[in-house]
Amino acid sequence: MAATVWIIVPPAWRALLNDADPGSLRCQAATVRAALEWLIAAHPALAPRLLQDGRLPRWTNIFLGEENIRDLGGLGTTLRDGATLTVLPAMAGG
Amino acid sequence: MIAVPAGTAWIGTPEASLDALAGQQQYPRSWFEDESPQHPVELAAFWIDVHPVTNAAFTAFTAATGYRTAAETRGFGLVYGAGYWQETPGACWRHPGGAGDRIDGRMDHPVVHVTHIDARAYAAWAGLRLPTEAEWEYVAHGPTWRPWPWGTGFDACRANGAEYGAVRPVRNLEDWRGWWARHFDEHGTVPATTPVTAFSPQGDSPFGVTDMAGNVAEWTATSYRLYDPRRRYDPLYHAAAGRYMVVRGGGWMHLRHQMRTSERVAVDPAYANHATGFRCAADTPRTA
């Protein structure tokens, strides 16, 4: 069952978001994969940063709360209502 | 290794330099705010490698131990392709540009495609450790802060970065994309590392240490933290704090502002690419 999920992407990606606020993206999604697919559908320029051949590439991490989803169920990790996903490049800054 | 005496290290970038930096490239000052405030750190005496760990040294390590890096184990490495990062089958420290590329003839170049765990494994085998972030920065600029190891003015001939040998200015991201397109046409994904002594002595730091700017970005032993935890930084940096490790120095594909002595990058310790390596430090040298 889909949950209401908040997604936070890096402010430096603002130019790829068609002026959407990178701190207030919201969707209905049952899993991390569904949330990312929504994000890519809404903002296609994010696609190479978020998925490669349907997998989460090593240059991007997704945190569910404080946990890296690679340490949970990966893209299949289920989401609860009110969950927050933080998208964090593997190299931040510089 | 080179001995570094105990001293007070001023870590971080002065405010005036951060203000000036904002007008010299594409990012606002907030992008560099994690270099502030500049603050003193007391350092005990330590030793540090004169140059990054080379392919030759890493070969000796793997020959002695049978160690396999994360990239070797998973079967792919990260390289920058025509327009973005890509997971390339076979890319690893032995084949930096991909399966068809070999380090033969580049044994005196820095090793790349090493994660933080890989770097620590090498250091443990060598009886050494990674330098802390403060040690690394102190070695880069010395007791008196300076933005590049050799001084206050950037000089493309003193470090292996994107501007080295470039036929056109490479000052911002737009310039960089043009530079990368030309570079990729000529070299593909093969990293443009150079021998670790190629920029010595002209690029050396005040302590006589080389490649502190450019060639490869370098892992440190320090978990990424914000210098003033009460201050509001870019949310990206708050998200990285406590999760990532600090990488310093910039590499062969980076712009001048990314090769500054106080520049900080927060990096997932499981990450590796064809522009990141490391050097070692020690409390006492292996041999006097």
Side-chain angles (χ1 to χ4, degrees):
Chain A
M1 182 175 174
T4 300
V5 178
W6 295 87
I7 308 173
I8 300 173
V9 302
W13 292 7
R14 183 183 294 273
L16 306 174
L17 295 176
N18 301 321
D19 294 327
D21 182 351
S24 64
L25 299 164
R26 188 178 64 175
C27 69
Q28 297 288 312
T31 64
V32 174
R33 179 183 296 280
L36 294 188
E37 288 173 348
W38 172 85
L39 188 57
I40 290 169
H43 306 287
L46 295 180
R49 286 168 167 74
L50 296 174
L51 289 175
Q52 186 175 57
D53 300 327
R55 295 178 296 105
L56 181 66
R58 295 301 314 191
W59 50 79
T60 297
N61 285 315
I62 310 286
F63 290 87
L64 173 58
E66 292 300 312
E67 296 292 323
N68 190 329
I69 66 156
R70 297 185 198 276
D71 300 325
L72 300 173
L75 293 176
T77 301
T78 56
L79 301 173
R80 294 182 177 178
D81 222 27
T84 297
L85 294 175
T86 301
V87 180
L88 192 58
M91 296 190 82
Chain B
M1 301 188 94
I2 280 185
V4 181
T8 301
W10 280 89
I11 300 302
T13 301
E15 297 300 308
S17 183
L18 286 175
D19 289 341
L21 184 60
Q24 295 167 355
Q25 42 70 54
Q26 72 276 7
Y27 290 116
R29 174 176 158 144
S30 60
W31 188 250
F32 306 98
E33 201 67 28
D34 68 336
E35 299 169 29
S36 177
Q38 193 180 39
H39 57 283
V41 174
E42 295 299 323
L43 294 177
F46 63 99
W47 294 70
I48 193 161
D49 281 343
V50 176
H51 54 70
V53 172
T54 62
N55 286 321
F58 207 79
T59 297
F61 160 56
T62 59
T65 62
Y67 186 85
R68 285 170 55 81
T69 62
E72 288 176 289
T73 301
R74 71 188 177 209
F76 67 85
L78 303 189
V79 300
Y80 206 86
Y84 201 66
W85 292 102
Q86 60 187 41
E87 295 176 346
T88 297
C92 65
W93 74 274
R94 296 179 193 275
H95 307 286
D101 179 34
R102 302 175 62 86
I103 57 172
D104 301 352
R106 305 204 299 265
M107 298 306 282
D108 58 350
H109 288 220
V111 67
V112 293
H113 286 295
V114 283
T115 66
H116 194 263
I117 295 166
D118 298 330
R120 284 193 291 125
Y122 172 93
W125 169 76
L128 304 169
R129 60 175 174 79
L130 299 182
T132 66
E133 178 181 27
E135 288 173 340
W136 194 100
E137 179 172 332
Y138 186 54
V139 169
H141 59 53
T144 302
W145 185 86
R146 51 177 68 176
W148 289 285
W150 55 83
T152 56
F154 184 75
D155 181 346
C157 294
R158 293 177 188 260
N160 179 12
E163 290 182 76
Y164 175 63
V167 296
R168 297 177 191 168
V170 191
R171 300 290 179 84
N172 54 42
L173 196 54
E174 185 178 348
D175 292 346
W176 186 89
R177 290 193 180 107
W179 169 79
W180 180 257
R182 292 187 292 277
H183 181 90
F184 186 76
D185 281 347
E186 188 172 349
H187 302 287
T189 57
V190 176
T193 53
T194 44
V196 292
T197 55
F199 292 86
S200 181
Q202 69 271 26
D204 288 354
S205 84
F207 290 109
V209 177
T210 193
D211 274 353
M212 298 299 281
N215 212 2
V216 286
E218 300 177 17
W219 289 108
T220 73
T222 301
S223 178
Y224 180 79
R225 302 283 180 189
L226 297 165
Y227 286 161
D228 182 354
R230 298 162 300 179
R231 194 156 155 179
R232 293 306 302 172
Y233 295 89
D234 187 298
L236 178 74
Y237 300 132
H238 286 279
R243 290 172 167 151
Y244 286 0
M245 304 300 290
V246 176
V247 163
R248 289 301 202 103
W252 56 269
M253 63 188 296
H254 292 129
L255 295 159
R256 62 175 66 182
H257 73 269
Q258 297 172 306
M259 299 193 293
R260 291 173 302 115
T261 56
S262 301
E263 164 81 3
R264 315 177 72 202
V265 184
V267 182
D268 178 354
Y271 182 81
N273 68 21
H274 62 162
T276 303
F278 68 102
R279 76 179 69 215
C280 293
D283 297 334
T284 54
R286 282 173 296 177
T287 55

